[in-house]
């Protein structure tokens, strides 16, 4: 399916296009419904024009208050702040919500807006950001934040002068966004590296629809499922080139992987081997694949190790895996040892975030007996009709 961490950002970018734009291959997930809901609340028009295509048309002047309840429900809501600020001179929004994976501050966004000349106030629970005139600035991120890079990229597109983002994130999702903006008239260089230079332009015009690339995290998660219990599973319409370090690691467990430019064919080995994993910004092993990898480790022979370097609360879900029978030693909020193989037993589970939610599904398929996964709206945030696709490869699963 199209990538969950790109499509909503293109919806947000539509605000910058006077004539609107079309986006294809949109995953039909809750984060898209939410982003479309935010845009409609601001006065923009979103029209579904095909099974997975949407036309997005902003009006001359948009509202500037993000709908509280929607914005609070997903992290990507914050990427709308930049385009609205540069277009309308004002934006107000609550602290964005999203997965429960640790503290998710927005200081990098706020500092950067200030550097470009914006004023920031807090009114009750809301941030109110105003700017009569933004100016190009040299911004040094304290960490390479993905959504901050995307937001500032979209803000700087119309800001007079040159903006330089140092220590920018280089995920493929950022490159896809930058290339689309560039093709539409923006002047951006360096996307995909840690230094991005944006020269302000006056307008953007989409020359062609945005084609949402495949979701590399979904590909990786399904590859893990296949590596743990797949007889011979093929994942098609994917881009293995963006998963090089992950695939190298998966091969180290003994999983048999055949790779073409757009597909992966995977067979689980008789025995999986233990591995050490350190999550890292791109091109390292994505933090979003840490949870399914942990399930694989419960089935691997020997002692595996995870060092989660990106989020400090993203290992908390492992307590549930322990209750299923996993042998896990939690050293601190960032490091765990997992001893395997262990027999997992089906349980009732509560999905804390979308990636751990899918990991629970994989664990449930590996486990003896039946499991019930609750709170699946979290999983629907990022995976379209996952139960249908799992059923297609032999899983016994139903939505209740
Ligand atoms: N951070 C700050 N201050 C900020 C922003 C981030 O300290 O202002 C910290 C975060 O707390 C975290 C680190 O920086 O420790 C990196 O976070 P980042 O900002 O890069 O994450 P994000 O942009 O909020 C996106 C994806 C996540 C993915 C991360 C890392 C979207 C909507 N979300 O989040 O995706 O895990 O990058 O790759 O693009 C998911 O899909 O399940 C998911 C959580």
């Amino acid at each position: 399916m199209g990538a969950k961490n790109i499509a909503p950002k293109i919806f947000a970018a539509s605000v910058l296009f006077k004539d609107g734009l079309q986006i294809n291959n949109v995953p039909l997930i809750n984060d898209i419904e939410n982003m479309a809901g935010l845009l409609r609340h601001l006065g923009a028009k979103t029209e579904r024009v095909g099974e997975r295509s949407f036309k997005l048309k902003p009006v001359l002047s948009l509202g500037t208050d993000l709908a509280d309840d929607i914005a609070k429900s997903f992290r990507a809501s914050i990427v709308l702040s930049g385009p609205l600020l540069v277009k309308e001179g004002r934006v107000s929004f609550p602290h964005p919500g999203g997965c429960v994976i640790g503290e998710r501050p927005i200081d990098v966004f706020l500092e950067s807006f200030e550097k470009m000349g914006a004023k920031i106030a807090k009114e009750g629970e809301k941030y109110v950001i105003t700017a009569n005139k933004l100016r190009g600035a040299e911004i040094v991120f304290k960490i390479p934040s993905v959504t901050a890079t995307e937001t500032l990229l979209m803000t700087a597109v119309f800001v007079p002068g040159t903006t330089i983002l140092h220590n920018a994130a280089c995920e493929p999702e950022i490159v896809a966004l930058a290339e689309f903006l560039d093709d539409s008239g923006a002047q951006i260089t360096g996307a995909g590296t840690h230094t991005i230079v944006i020269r302000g332009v006056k307008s953007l015009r989409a020359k062609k629809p945005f084609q949402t690339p495949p979701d590399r995290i979904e590909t990786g998660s399904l590859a893990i499922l296949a590596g743990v219990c797949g007889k011979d599973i093929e994942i098609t319409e994917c881009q293995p080139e963006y998963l090089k370090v992950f695939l190298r690691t998966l091969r180290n467990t003994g999983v048999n992987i055949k790779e073409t430019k757009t597909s992966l064919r995977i067979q689980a080995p008789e025995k999986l081997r233990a591995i050490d994993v350190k999550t890292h910004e791109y091109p390292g092993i994505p933090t979003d694949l840490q949870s399914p990898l942990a399930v694989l480790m419960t089935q691997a022979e020997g002692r595996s190790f995870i060092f989660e370097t990106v989020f400090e609360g993203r290992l908390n879900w492992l307590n549930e895996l322990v209750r299923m029978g996993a042998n896990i030693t939690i050293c601190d909020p960032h490091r765990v040892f997992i001893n395997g193989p262990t027999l997992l037993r089906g349980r009732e589970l509560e999905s804390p975030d979308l990636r751990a939610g899918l990991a629970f599904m994989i664990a449930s398929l590996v486990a003896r007996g039946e499991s019930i996964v609750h709170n699946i709206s979290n999983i629907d945030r990022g995976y379209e009709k996952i139960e249908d696709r799992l059923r297609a490869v032999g899983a016994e699963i139903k939505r209740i």
Side-chain angles (χ1 to χ4, degrees):
M1 297 285 171
K4 171 232 166 215
N5 283 343
I6 301 182
K9 311 334 177 17
I10 301 295
F11 271 61
S14 69
V15 165
L16 301 169
F17 289 73
K18 199 157 50 71
D19 301 329
L21 59 86
Q22 179 166 329
I23 169 166
N24 296 340
N25 196 31
V26 177
L28 305 177
I29 53 176
N30 288 358
D31 271 16
I32 288 293
E33 263 176 44
N34 283 330
M35 190 57 96
L38 280 181
L39 286 171
R40 280 195 296 270
H41 178 262
L42 295 170
K45 294 196 177 74
T46 67
E47 188 191 349
R48 194 159 159 194
V49 291
E51 203 200 340
R52 298 181 180 285
S53 297
F54 286 78
K55 273 203 169 133
L56 310 170
K57 293 182 205 155
V59 286
L60 211 54
S61 167
L62 288 165
T64 57
D65 297 311
L66 295 197
D68 234 45
D69 50 335
I70 311 179
K72 275 184 187 157
S73 71
F74 71 125
R75 176 75 178 180
S77 61
I78 186 136
V79 296
L80 250 177
S81 62
L84 276 181
L85 180 64
V86 71
K87 186 166 180 291
E88 305 294 341
R90 180 188 185 276
V91 60
S92 91
F93 56 90
H95 197 88
C99 295
V100 186
I101 51 181
E103 206 196 329
R104 296 182 82 179
I106 59 164
D107 51 334
V108 174
F109 299 75
L110 300 180
E111 274 172 29
S112 307
F113 288 145
E114 269 179 335
K115 271 232 136 187
M116 295 175 100
K119 299 238 172 326
I120 296 171
K122 194 92 196 277
E123 284 177 13
E125 295 280 282
K126 285 193 171 190
Y127 300 94
V128 181
I129 308 183
T130 46
N132 285 335
K133 203 166 181 233
L134 291 167
R135 55 173 183 269
E138 197 157 351
I139 298 169
V140 183
F141 289 155
K142 71 166 188 185
I143 37 105
S145 160
V146 174
T147 40
T149 303
E150 292 162 339
T151 305
L152 271 297
L153 196 70
M154 289 194 258
T155 314
V157 154
F158 287 158
V159 171
T162 301
T163 299
I164 305 177
L165 306 178
H166 294 282
N167 199 20
C170 11
E171 269 61 9
E173 290 74 23
I174 294 164
V175 179
L177 171 67
E179 280 177 354
F180 181 62
L181 294 174
D182 236 19
D183 287 348
S184 308
Q187 287 193 15
I188 301 168
T189 53
T193 74
H194 288 300
T195 308
I196 303 180
V197 180
I198 306 120
R199 290 188 182 80
V201 296
K202 293 238 165 356
S203 66
L204 294 177
R205 183 178 291 249
K207 293 206 184 84
K208 53 180 193 256
F210 179 81
Q211 193 66 23
T212 312
D215 193 311
R216 67 192 165 99
I217 305 301
E218 181 172 85
T219 303
S221 307
L222 296 175
I224 293 167
L225 170 70
V228 184
C229 56
K231 286 208 177 73
D232 183 3
I233 291 183
E234 192 174 8
I235 303 170
T236 53
E237 292 171 47
C238 60
Q239 292 176 313
E241 67 178 297
Y242 297 126
L243 285 166
K244 281 191 195 316
V245 182
F246 162 75
L247 288 173
R248 176 186 188 279
T249 306
L250 193 59
R251 283 194 173 98
N252 283 347
T253 66
V255 172
N256 191 328
I257 305 172
K258 288 199 186 98
E259 191 178 328
T260 71
K261 212 171 158 11
T262 55
S263 74
L264 290 171
R265 191 158 175 181
I266 296 175
Q267 281 175 312
E270 222 144 82
K271 276 186 185 168
L272 287 161
R273 289 191 293 270
I275 40 161
D276 289 350
V277 163
K278 179 181 173 188
T279 63
H280 203 275
E281 291 91 23
Y282 188 81
I285 297 181
T287 168
D288 296 339
L289 288 177
Q290 171 256 106
S291 34
L293 276 170
V295 177
L296 178 144
M297 290 171 178
T298 67
Q299 303 307 301
E301 201 136 310
R303 192 173 77 163
S304 295
F305 176 63
I306 299 179
F307 185 7
E308 166 58 58
T309 68
V310 182
F311 292 106
E312 83 283 1
R314 216 172 198 182
L315 293 172
N316 294 346
W317 74 283
L318 287 172
N319 289 317
E320 289 291 302
L321 206 54
V322 171
R323 281 191 272 279
M324 291 180 84
N327 178 347
I328 300 178
T329 309
I330 300 182
C331 311
D332 62 37
H334 288 278
R335 289 173 303 165
V336 294
F337 288 107
I338 302 183
N339 289 296
T342 45
L343 175 72
L344 300 183
R345 291 196 170 76
R347 279 185 61 92
E348 286 207 23
L349 302 154
E350 193 81 30
S351 160
D353 72 87
L354 85 145
R355 307 301 177 194
L358 190 74
F360 280 148
M361 285 193 167
I362 300 175
S364 303
L365 292 171
V366 171
R368 180 176 292 171
E370 185 179 272
S371 297
I372 299 178
V373 182
H374 295 285
N375 211 7
I376 55 168
S377 61
N378 258 333
I379 301 173
D380 292 333
R381 280 201 34 228
Y383 299 98
E384 180 183 327
K385 290 193 186 136
I386 190 69
E387 69 275 22
D388 291 354
R389 289 183 286 152
L390 294 182
R391 217 179 291 117
V393 288
E396 280 179 37
I397 178 169
K398 65 176 181 212
R399 189 178 282 258
I400 51 175

